[in-house]
């Protein structure tokens, strides 16, 4: 059994999430061989800790079905990728092409027939123990479930030209539009101050904006807020919003539904501001202030101004 | 143009996941049900397309008889017709789900099929793509914007701080994400009309699962309550002290 890992890359370097998938695959393989497959990017392959690094020579931008066709041509029996947008998408295509079963967002796995995996449901709020049956097994690895592979290797780099079908290139990226605002992104901000239904109105977010500004952070929100049209969906934290991992997360007037919490599992510390001491968020927060967000947040910004003179 | 949307009934779990005694499902006795926000946006997108271009919207679900409720919700948003692929409520793996959905969709031959990017509960990230292959149609996933012009679909997908643009001919399959639109709240008359719209029922054939659910596990919480820094505005000094200790102020 050789385990094949689809490695995504940018600017000559393998992606962090792909290195995590590689670590997962090395562990799953035990003493068996692990190979990598890349679409272009021989540079990124040169010191991967694998036996062979297959490099598909494909021109043009991202084309999920074509990428999957290239990978499927290597006839893997075990195929692993990162649980990234592209990792999940390419492996779903590859599952059809290889006739395999795909378990997305795994956090642990043990080889065998069937293979046993533990995977994320509900954005990580629930885990599922499952079996993968059949001769071809595919897994993606949930982001940040395992540490990345750090050892360097000296793989045989094997370029190949995949045989594509016409239909493989129908869906491909034909244009890339830059949408960066130049500002700090929600996903990367060191401090996030989020508001929920308890903030009461779009105007109620002004004190949260001020606090976020003073802490070098950004404002987020819950789905109750985006559904009410108070803020744009780009601010939503959660299972169907943005996943954040700040040093400090400050949810204000947010109850702590599992789908919201699925988006802030990466936060180091959590300070909840809520009028209800029994709110579910109290079971996940490190610290809490009980009371009305409309009174508490302005008091905090006033105190910050006072101490900074 | 005819648009078909696939939605999946899931429980509204609130603050805590509680499992059934056999650990193969969520205890739903006291819970309401919904569909993934991605799929709700999918229904809204389909209705908007048909409002702009004419045609019809069909909504399909595979699930227990009670999933009729989620079909009625979609009919209230503006879908014209609903199909329920009735099961006994047990978990269907992605391959069987896709095969059953592909059978009905192939018979219907819509111009566009819309899925959620991933289901709320299983999060398999594959049913839409599997159906696209079964139908022999192109598939574009994770769309945050979508437009149809001259038999072509233009879709935008977020990718870091950029958007990737795709153009594919119809018929096609897409998966969408929440944020592509803000779904409407159905009016009372729309809800009443939805009650009278037809729901067709079929009984799909289930295959052996090759991704077999064995058991669900609730991840361990931290098993303790938050440390309360204070009540009301008088807690402000304690909060600022915390900021200083954490090095954020
Ligand atoms: C599949 C699925 C995906 C979802 N994805 C997401 C997601 O990505 N992100 C997300 O956020 N939600 C998501 N949800 C919705 C989620 O289940 C909750 O409905 C939502 O998070 C609730 O938002 P909320 O906490 O703001 O509102 P509520 O649950 O109504 O809570 C409001 C809170 O504010 C407190 N409060 C009220 N007044 C005040 C006051 N004056 N001062 C202080 N506190 C006050 C209350 O005590 C309460 O705790 C999803 C749901 C489903 C089914
Ligand atoms: N039981 C189902 N009935 C109808 N549609 C479904 C069902 N399961 C999954 N889907 C559709 O397929 C998408 C992807 O599901 P998944 O592959 O489980 O993440 C969902 O967002 C739905 O649009």
């Amino acid at each position: 059994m050789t385990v094949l890992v689809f490695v995504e890359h940018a600017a000559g370097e393998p992606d962090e999430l792909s290195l995590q998938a590689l670590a997962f695959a090395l562990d799953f393989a035990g003493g068996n061989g692990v190979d990598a497959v890349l679409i272009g990017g021989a540079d990124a392959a040169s010191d991967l800790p694998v036996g062979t690094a297959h490099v598909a020579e494909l021109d043009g931008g991202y084309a999920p079905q074509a990428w999957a066709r290239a990978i499927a041509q290597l006839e893997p029996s075990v195929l692993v990728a990162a649980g990234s947008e592209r990792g999940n998408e390419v492996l779903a295509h590859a599952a059809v092409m290889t006739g395999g079963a795909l378990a997305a967002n795994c956090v642990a796995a043990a080889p065998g027939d069937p293979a046993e995996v533990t995977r994320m449901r509900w954005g990580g709020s629930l885990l599922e123990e499952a079996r993968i049956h059949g001769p071809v097994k595919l897994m993606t690895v949930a982001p940040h479930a395992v540490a990345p592979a750090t050892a360097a290797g000296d793989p045989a780099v094997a370029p190949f030209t995949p045989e594509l079908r016409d239909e493989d290139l129908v869906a491909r990226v034909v244009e890339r539009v830059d949408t960066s605002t130049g500002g700090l992104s929600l996903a990367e901000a060191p401090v996030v101050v989020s508001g929920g239904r308890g903030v009461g109105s779009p105007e109620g977010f002004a004190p949260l904006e001020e606090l976020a500004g003073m802490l070098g952070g950004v404002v987020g929100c819950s789905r109750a807020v985006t559904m009410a049209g108070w803020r744009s969906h780009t601010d939503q934290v959660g299972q169907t919003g943005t996943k954040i991992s700040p040093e400090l997360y400050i949810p204000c007037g947010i109850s702590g539904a599992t789908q919201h919490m699925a988006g802030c599992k990466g936060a180091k510390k959590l300070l909840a501001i809520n009028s209800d001491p029994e709110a579910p968020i109290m079971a996940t927060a490190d610290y809490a202030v009980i009371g009305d967000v409309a009174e508490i947040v302005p008091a905090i910004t006033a105190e910050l101004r006072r101490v900074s003179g | 143009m005819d648009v078909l949307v696939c939605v999946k009934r899931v429980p509204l779990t609130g603050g805590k996941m509680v499992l059934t005694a056999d650990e193969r499902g969520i205890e739903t006795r006291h819970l309401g049900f919904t569909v993934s926000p991605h799929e709700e946006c999918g229904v809204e997108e389909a209705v908007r397309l048909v409002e702009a271009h004419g045609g019809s919207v069909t909504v399909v679900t595979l699930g227990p008889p009670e999933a009729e409720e989620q079909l009625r919700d979609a009919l209230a948003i503006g879908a014209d017709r609903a199909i329920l692929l009735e099961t006994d409520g047990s978990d269907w793996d992605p391959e069987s789900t896709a095969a059953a959905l592909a059978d009905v969709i192939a018979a219907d031959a819509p111009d566009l099929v819309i899925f959620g990017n991933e289901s709320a509960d299983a999060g398999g990230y594959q049913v839409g793509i599997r159906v696209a292959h079964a139908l022999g149609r192109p598939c574009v996933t994770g769309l945050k914007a979508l437009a149809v012009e001259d038999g072509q679909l233009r879709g935008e997908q977020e990718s870091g701080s950029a958007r990737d643009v795709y153009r594919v001919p119809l018929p096609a399959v897409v998966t969408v994400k929440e944020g592509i639109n803000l779904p409407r709240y159905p009016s009372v008359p729309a809800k009443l009309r939805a009650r009278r719209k037809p729901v067709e029922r079929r009984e799909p054939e289930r295959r052996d699962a090759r991704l077999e659910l064995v058991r669900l596990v609730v991840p361990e919480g931290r098993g303790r309550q938050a440390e309360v820094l204070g009540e009301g505005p008088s807690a402000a000094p304690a909060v600022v002290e915390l900021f200083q200790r954490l090095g954020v102020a």
Side-chain angles (χ1 to χ4, degrees):
Chain A
M1 175 195 74
T2 301
V3 177
L4 184 66
V5 185
F6 165 46
V7 175
E8 297 174 68
H9 58 87
E13 296 290 336
D15 286 1
E16 179 77 6
L17 296 185
S18 288
L19 290 176
Q20 294 171 12
L22 184 52
F24 182 98
L26 287 163
D27 186 52
F28 183 85
N32 291 304
V34 175
D35 289 345
V37 57
L38 295 83
I39 310 297
D43 303 355
S46 59
D47 58 2
L48 292 173
V50 297
T52 302
H54 302 274
V55 178
E57 296 183 330
L58 261 183
D59 292 333
Y62 179 53
Q65 191 170 319
W67 288 27
R69 186 77 64 195
I71 296 167
Q73 268 161 27
L74 299 170
E75 299 183 353
S77 56
V78 179
L79 177 60
V80 178
S84 59
E85 310 267 356
R86 288 184 176 183
N88 280 327
E89 181 174 35
V90 170
L91 255 62
H93 283 285
V96 177
M97 293 167 183
T98 57
L102 164 64
N105 289 315
C106 297
V107 298
D113 213 355
E116 291 179 0
V117 300
T118 304
R119 58 176 300 271
M120 291 193 341
R121 287 192 161 226
W122 288 100
S125 303
L126 194 59
L127 297 175
E128 168 190 352
E129 292 175 1
R131 299 191 181 114
I132 310 179
H133 298 267
V136 183
K137 301 174 173 70
L138 297 88
M139 294 173 270
T140 67
V141 182
H144 311 296
V146 295
T150 48
D154 186 17
V157 176
F160 71 107
T161 309
E163 277 172 42
L164 300 182
R165 304 183 187 172
D166 290 345
E167 70 256 30
D168 293 339
L169 288 164
V170 174
R172 66 192 160 85
V173 176
V174 292
E175 193 187 331
R176 204 172 160 83
V177 184
D178 189 8
T179 51
S180 61
T181 50
L184 198 55
S185 78
L186 182 58
E188 284 161 11
V191 176
V192 176
V193 183
S194 276
R197 201 191 307 275
V199 170
S201 67
E203 297 71 40
F205 277 84
L208 275 61
E209 294 278 6
E210 191 185 6
L211 177 59
M214 292 174 88
L215 299 176
V218 301
V219 167
C221 70
S222 73
R223 179 162 187 255
V225 166
T226 48
M227 288 296 283
W230 297 351
R231 311 260 325 168
S232 137
H233 181 265
T234 48
D235 289 351
Q236 182 176 314
V237 171
Q239 185 179 333
T240 51
T242 300
K243 314 266 182 300
I244 60 169
S245 47
E247 294 299 314
L248 176 63
Y249 184 44
I250 312 180
C252 307
I254 291 180
S255 61
T258 51
Q259 297 85 15
H260 184 82
M261 303 320 289
C264 58
K265 286 198 158 55
K268 305 274 182 314
K269 293 288 175 191
L270 215 145
L271 162 66
I273 301 179
N274 198 302
S275 52
D276 177 7
E278 306 292 319
I281 194 136
M282 298 301 165
T284 2
D286 297 282
Y287 309 98
V289 176
I290 310 299
D292 185 353
V293 55
E295 292 176 2
I296 294 167
V297 175
I300 296 171
T301 46
E303 177 69 9
L304 272 173
R305 265 193 300 273
R306 197 186 63 77
V307 299
S308 66
Chain B
M1 63 186 287
D2 295 328
V3 186
L4 186 147
V5 192
C6 293
V7 302
K8 182 179 189 184
R9 173 183 169 93
V10 297
L12 254 172
T13 53
K16 216 170 143 199
M17 298 274 182
V18 181
L19 300 181
T20 52
D22 70 358
E23 299 182 312
R24 292 169 58 85
I26 292 173
E27 178 55 72
T28 56
R29 249 176 302 171
H30 306 292
L31 301 181
F33 289 82
T34 185
V35 302
S36 162
H38 298 326
E39 295 155 24
E40 197 180 332
C41 287
V43 174
E44 174 69 31
E45 199 65 20
V47 171
R48 287 186 192 187
L49 281 169
V50 166
E51 282 169 350
H53 301 277
S56 72
V57 177
T58 302
V59 54
V60 181
T61 193
L62 176 132
E66 299 79 17
E68 180 180 338
E69 182 192 345
Q70 280 58 52
L71 294 175
R72 298 267 173 222
D73 290 346
L75 292 169
I77 291 179
D80 302 285
R81 189 177 146 236
I83 304 174
L84 172 58
L85 303 177
E86 221 175 282
T87 70
D88 62 2
S90 59
D91 193 81
W92 278 48
D93 71 309
E95 260 182 295
S96 302
T97 304
L101 292 173
D103 276 352
V104 237
I105 299 171
D108 229 58
D111 302 295
L112 179 65
V113 188
I114 303 182
F115 288 88
N117 189 66
E118 81 275 4
S119 56
D121 57 346
Y125 288 84
Q126 57 191 281
V127 168
I129 292 169
R130 285 186 180 277
V131 169
H133 279 272
L135 300 173
R137 297 184 187 178
C139 184
V140 187
T141 66
L143 296 187
K144 284 286 187 91
L146 181 170
V148 170
E149 241 170 68
D150 305 326
Q152 283 254 332
L153 180 140
R154 182 183 186 280
E156 293 182 13
Q157 179 185 68
E158 268 172 6
S159 168
S161 61
R163 282 192 168 206
D164 284 337
V165 181
Y166 294 77
R167 268 192 213 90
V168 295
L170 295 178
V173 174
V174 298
T175 81
V176 300
K177 282 192 177 176
E178 186 182 23
I180 189 172
N181 57 44
L182 185 58
R184 68 195 72 185
Y185 283 108
S187 64
V188 173
K191 283 187 188 161
L192 291 175
R193 271 198 306 279
R195 281 203 216 153
R196 293 193 297 271
K197 290 185 187 173
V199 172
E200 293 164 39
R201 288 168 189 270
R202 318 256 172 92
E203 284 188 11
E205 200 70 43
R206 185 182 172 161
R207 314 179 180 183
D208 284 341
R210 293 200 301 165
L211 179 61
E212 182 200 0
L213 186 159
V214 177
R215 178 171 98 93
L216 299 175
V217 183
V218 180
E220 264 174 55
R222 38 179 105 195
R224 61 175 167 79
Q225 288 289 107
E227 175 190 338
V228 177
L229 300 178
E231 289 192 19
S234 64
V239 171
V240 172
E241 255 173 58
L242 173 71
F243 289 168
Q244 288 167 338
R245 234 183 318 137
L246 297 177
V248 297

mmCIF file of all heavy atoms in Angstrom, chain A residues 8 15 27 40 65-66 82 87 89-90 104 106-107 121 143 171 174 181 194 196 205 213 223 242 276 280 283 292:
data_model
loop_
_atom_site.group_PDB
_atom_site.id
_atom_site.type_symbol
_atom_site.label_atom_id
_atom_site.label_comp_id
_atom_site.label_asym_id
_atom_site.label_seq_id
_atom_site.Cartn_x
_atom_site.Cartn_y
_atom_site.Cartn_z
ATOM 1 N N GLU A 8 -0.977 20.902 -2.265
ATOM 2 C CA GLU A 8 -1.207 22.229 -2.860
ATOM 3 C C GLU A 8 -0.003 23.107 -2.539
ATOM 4 O O GLU A 8 0.685 22.893 -1.539
ATOM 5 C CB GLU A 8 -2.475 22.856 -2.272
ATOM 6 C CG GLU A 8 -3.742 22.068 -2.590
ATOM 7 C CD GLU A 8 -4.955 22.656 -1.859
ATOM 8 O OE1 GLU A 8 -5.363 23.777 -2.211
ATOM 9 O OE2 GLU A 8 -5.472 21.999 -0.945
ATOM 10 N N ASP A 15 1.709 24.263 0.743
ATOM 11 C CA ASP A 15 0.797 24.923 1.678
ATOM 12 C C ASP A 15 0.885 24.268 3.048
ATOM 13 O O ASP A 15 1.048 23.048 3.160
ATOM 14 C CB ASP A 15 -0.655 24.817 1.189
ATOM 15 C CG ASP A 15 -0.940 25.745 0.024
ATOM 16 O OD1 ASP A 15 -0.006 26.463 -0.409
ATOM 17 O OD2 ASP A 15 -2.090 25.746 -0.449
ATOM 18 N N ASP A 27 1.682 9.147 9.094
ATOM 19 C CA ASP A 27 1.242 8.406 10.264
ATOM 20 C C ASP A 27 0.349 7.230 9.861
ATOM 21 O O ASP A 27 0.510 6.107 10.345
ATOM 22 C CB ASP A 27 0.493 9.386 11.185
ATOM 23 C CG ASP A 27 0.112 8.737 12.494
ATOM 24 O OD1 ASP A 27 1.015 8.172 13.120
ATOM 25 O OD2 ASP A 27 -1.077 8.794 12.876
ATOM 26 N N GLY A 40 1.783 21.097 -11.232
ATOM 27 C CA GLY A 40 2.854 22.067 -11.428
ATOM 28 C C GLY A 40 3.687 22.144 -10.155
ATOM 29 O O GLY A 40 3.505 21.344 -9.227
ATOM 30 N N GLN A 65 -11.727 19.489 -12.125
ATOM 31 C CA GLN A 65 -11.910 18.157 -12.709
ATOM 32 C C GLN A 65 -10.645 17.690 -13.429
ATOM 33 O O GLN A 65 -10.283 16.512 -13.384
ATOM 34 C CB GLN A 65 -13.124 18.180 -13.652
ATOM 35 C CG GLN A 65 -13.554 16.807 -14.098
ATOM 36 C CD GLN A 65 -14.898 16.813 -14.822
ATOM 37 O OE1 GLN A 65 -15.830 17.522 -14.414
ATOM 38 N NE2 GLN A 65 -14.992 16.040 -15.888
ATOM 39 N N ALA A 66 -9.933 18.628 -14.051
ATOM 40 C CA ALA A 66 -8.681 18.276 -14.737
ATOM 41 C C ALA A 66 -7.615 17.876 -13.713
ATOM 42 O O ALA A 66 -6.862 16.918 -13.907
ATOM 43 C CB ALA A 66 -8.200 19.455 -15.579
ATOM 44 N N ALA A 82 -5.518 17.965 1.922
ATOM 45 C CA ALA A 82 -5.938 18.891 2.965
ATOM 46 C C ALA A 82 -7.450 19.109 2.876
ATOM 47 O O ALA A 82 -8.018 19.073 1.793
ATOM 48 C CB ALA A 82 -5.220 20.229 2.811
ATOM 49 N N GLY A 87 -8.820 21.112 -1.741
ATOM 50 C CA GLY A 87 -8.558 19.719 -1.355
ATOM 51 C C GLY A 87 -9.847 18.920 -1.352
ATOM 52 O O GLY A 87 -9.922 17.827 -1.929
ATOM 53 N N GLU A 89 -12.652 19.698 -2.858
ATOM 54 C CA GLU A 89 -13.273 19.672 -4.187
ATOM 55 C C GLU A 89 -12.573 18.677 -5.115
ATOM 56 O O GLU A 89 -13.226 17.848 -5.764
ATOM 57 C CB GLU A 89 -13.236 21.075 -4.809
ATOM 58 C CG GLU A 89 -13.883 21.108 -6.192
ATOM 59 C CD GLU A 89 -13.997 22.510 -6.774
ATOM 60 O OE1 GLU A 89 -13.082 23.329 -6.535
ATOM 61 O OE2 GLU A 89 -14.995 22.786 -7.455
ATOM 62 N N VAL A 90 -11.252 18.747 -5.163
ATOM 63 C CA VAL A 90 -10.503 17.861 -6.072
ATOM 64 C C VAL A 90 -10.705 16.394 -5.662
ATOM 65 O O VAL A 90 -10.889 15.521 -6.509
ATOM 66 C CB VAL A 90 -9.009 18.254 -6.096
ATOM 67 C CG1 VAL A 90 -8.188 17.200 -6.833
ATOM 68 C CG2 VAL A 90 -8.831 19.613 -6.762
ATOM 69 N N ALA A 104 -14.470 13.281 4.302
ATOM 70 C CA ALA A 104 -13.931 14.646 4.354
ATOM 71 C C ALA A 104 -13.664 15.053 5.797
ATOM 72 O O ALA A 104 -14.359 14.636 6.719
ATOM 73 C CB ALA A 104 -14.911 15.617 3.703
ATOM 74 N N CYS A 106 -11.149 14.570 8.120
ATOM 75 C CA CYS A 106 -10.791 13.574 9.134
ATOM 76 C C CYS A 106 -9.854 14.206 10.160
ATOM 77 O O CYS A 106 -9.057 15.093 9.849
ATOM 78 C CB CYS A 106 -10.068 12.388 8.483
ATOM 79 S SG CYS A 106 -11.132 11.511 7.318
ATOM 80 N N VAL A 107 -9.958 13.736 11.409
ATOM 81 C CA VAL A 107 -9.021 14.176 12.444
ATOM 82 C C VAL A 107 -8.123 13.030 12.894
ATOM 83 O O VAL A 107 -7.094 13.252 13.526
ATOM 84 C CB VAL A 107 -9.750 14.793 13.659
ATOM 85 C CG1 VAL A 107 -10.532 16.040 13.236
ATOM 86 C CG2 VAL A 107 -10.696 13.802 14.325
ATOM 87 N N ARG A 121 -18.216 16.469 11.796
ATOM 88 C CA ARG A 121 -19.553 16.850 11.325
ATOM 89 C C ARG A 121 -19.861 18.213 11.911
ATOM 90 O O ARG A 121 -19.235 18.628 12.872
ATOM 91 C CB ARG A 121 -20.593 15.867 11.839
ATOM 92 C CG ARG A 121 -20.543 14.534 11.152
ATOM 93 C CD ARG A 121 -21.780 13.729 11.511
ATOM 94 N NE ARG A 121 -21.940 12.690 10.529
ATOM 95 C CZ ARG A 121 -23.091 12.378 9.930
ATOM 96 N NH1 ARG A 121 -24.205 13.002 10.237
ATOM 97 N NH2 ARG A 121 -23.142 11.436 9.024
ATOM 98 N N PRO A 143 -8.451 20.991 8.803
ATOM 99 C CA PRO A 143 -7.401 21.975 9.080
ATOM 100 C C PRO A 143 -7.049 22.019 10.573
ATOM 101 O O PRO A 143 -7.927 22.011 11.428
ATOM 102 C CB PRO A 143 -8.035 23.299 8.624
ATOM 103 C CG PRO A 143 -8.988 22.890 7.537
ATOM 104 C CD PRO A 143 -9.532 21.557 7.983
ATOM 105 N N ALA A 171 -15.033 23.486 -16.659
ATOM 106 C CA ALA A 171 -15.097 24.322 -15.464
ATOM 107 C C ALA A 171 -13.680 24.651 -15.011
ATOM 108 O O ALA A 171 -12.974 23.800 -14.472
ATOM 109 C CB ALA A 171 -15.862 23.607 -14.351
ATOM 110 N N VAL A 174 -11.294 31.390 -15.161
ATOM 111 C CA VAL A 174 -10.949 32.138 -16.363
ATOM 112 C C VAL A 174 -10.497 33.551 -16.031
ATOM 113 O O VAL A 174 -9.995 34.275 -16.890
ATOM 114 C CB VAL A 174 -12.141 32.198 -17.353
ATOM 115 C CG1 VAL A 174 -12.424 30.818 -17.937
ATOM 116 C CG2 VAL A 174 -13.400 32.765 -16.694
ATOM 117 N N THR A 181 -9.240 44.617 0.601
ATOM 118 C CA THR A 181 -9.591 45.980 0.991
ATOM 119 C C THR A 181 -8.380 46.674 1.594
ATOM 120 O O THR A 181 -8.444 47.842 1.940
ATOM 121 C CB THR A 181 -10.709 45.949 2.046
ATOM 122 O OG1 THR A 181 -10.321 45.047 3.079
ATOM 123 C CG2 THR A 181 -12.019 45.490 1.442
ATOM 124 N N SER A 194 -17.217 40.603 18.429
ATOM 125 C CA SER A 194 -18.406 40.257 17.635
ATOM 126 C C SER A 194 -19.674 40.674 18.351
ATOM 127 O O SER A 194 -19.747 40.640 19.580
ATOM 128 C CB SER A 194 -18.478 38.746 17.399
ATOM 129 O OG SER A 194 -17.708 38.368 16.297
ATOM 130 N N GLY A 196 -23.984 40.058 18.538
ATOM 131 C CA GLY A 196 -25.096 39.186 18.174
ATOM 132 C C GLY A 196 -26.413 39.920 18.290
ATOM 133 O O GLY A 196 -26.445 41.152 18.363
ATOM 134 N N PHE A 205 -23.676 48.645 16.896
ATOM 135 C CA PHE A 205 -22.322 48.161 16.621
ATOM 136 C C PHE A 205 -21.253 49.238 16.747
ATOM 137 O O PHE A 205 -20.063 48.935 16.782
ATOM 138 C CB PHE A 205 -22.258 47.507 15.233
ATOM 139 C CG PHE A 205 -22.708 46.072 15.249
ATOM 140 C CD1 PHE A 205 -24.053 45.759 15.154
ATOM 141 C CD2 PHE A 205 -21.790 45.038 15.398
ATOM 142 C CE1 PHE A 205 -24.475 44.439 15.199
ATOM 143 C CE2 PHE A 205 -22.201 43.714 15.440
ATOM 144 C CZ PHE A 205 -23.541 43.416 15.345
ATOM 145 N N GLY A 213 -11.261 48.885 17.279
ATOM 146 C CA GLY A 213 -10.230 49.803 16.787
ATOM 147 C C GLY A 213 -9.143 50.022 17.826
ATOM 148 O O GLY A 213 -7.946 50.006 17.518
ATOM 149 N N ARG A 223 -24.944 34.970 12.985
ATOM 150 C CA ARG A 223 -25.854 34.831 11.848
ATOM 151 C C ARG A 223 -27.164 35.560 12.103
ATOM 152 O O ARG A 223 -27.796 36.035 11.159
ATOM 153 C CB ARG A 223 -26.104 33.353 11.556
ATOM 154 C CG ARG A 223 -27.062 33.141 10.406
ATOM 155 C CD ARG A 223 -26.985 31.743 9.831
ATOM 156 N NE ARG A 223 -27.807 31.674 8.640
ATOM 157 C CZ ARG A 223 -28.991 31.068 8.581
ATOM 158 N NH1 ARG A 223 -29.485 30.466 9.644
ATOM 159 N NH2 ARG A 223 -29.676 31.064 7.462
ATOM 160 N N THR A 242 -17.004 32.876 8.584
ATOM 161 C CA THR A 242 -15.547 32.828 8.616
ATOM 162 C C THR A 242 -15.066 32.106 9.876
ATOM 163 O O THR A 242 -15.667 32.222 10.932
ATOM 164 C CB THR A 242 -15.007 34.277 8.585
ATOM 165 O OG1 THR A 242 -15.473 34.901 7.387
ATOM 166 C CG2 THR A 242 -13.497 34.316 8.601
ATOM 167 N N ASP A 276 -27.271 37.268 30.146
ATOM 168 C CA ASP A 276 -27.789 36.022 30.714
ATOM 169 C C ASP A 276 -26.647 35.154 31.251
ATOM 170 O O ASP A 276 -25.888 34.573 30.470
ATOM 171 C CB ASP A 276 -28.555 35.265 29.624
ATOM 172 C CG ASP A 276 -29.068 33.915 30.104
ATOM 173 O OD1 ASP A 276 -28.948 33.622 31.311
ATOM 174 O OD2 ASP A 276 -29.579 33.156 29.260
ATOM 175 N N PRO A 280 -25.470 29.563 26.912
ATOM 176 C CA PRO A 280 -24.539 28.459 26.601
ATOM 177 C C PRO A 280 -23.095 28.929 26.408
ATOM 178 O O PRO A 280 -22.162 28.176 26.695
ATOM 179 C CB PRO A 280 -25.095 27.890 25.285
ATOM 180 C CG PRO A 280 -26.511 28.333 25.210
ATOM 181 C CD PRO A 280 -26.648 29.582 26.034
ATOM 182 N N ALA A 283 -20.251 28.311 28.948
ATOM 183 C CA ALA A 283 -19.564 27.032 29.103
ATOM 184 C C ALA A 283 -18.313 26.955 28.239
ATOM 185 O O ALA A 283 -17.482 26.057 28.413
ATOM 186 C CB ALA A 283 -20.503 25.878 28.767
ATOM 187 N N ASP A 292 -25.737 44.428 30.305
ATOM 188 C CA ASP A 292 -26.181 44.969 29.020
ATOM 189 C C ASP A 292 -24.983 45.423 28.188
ATOM 190 O O ASP A 292 -24.220 46.299 28.604
ATOM 191 C CB ASP A 292 -27.124 46.160 29.301
ATOM 192 C CG ASP A 292 -27.743 46.724 28.028
ATOM 193 O OD1 ASP A 292 -27.348 46.283 26.911
ATOM 194 O OD2 ASP A 292 -28.612 47.595 28.144
#
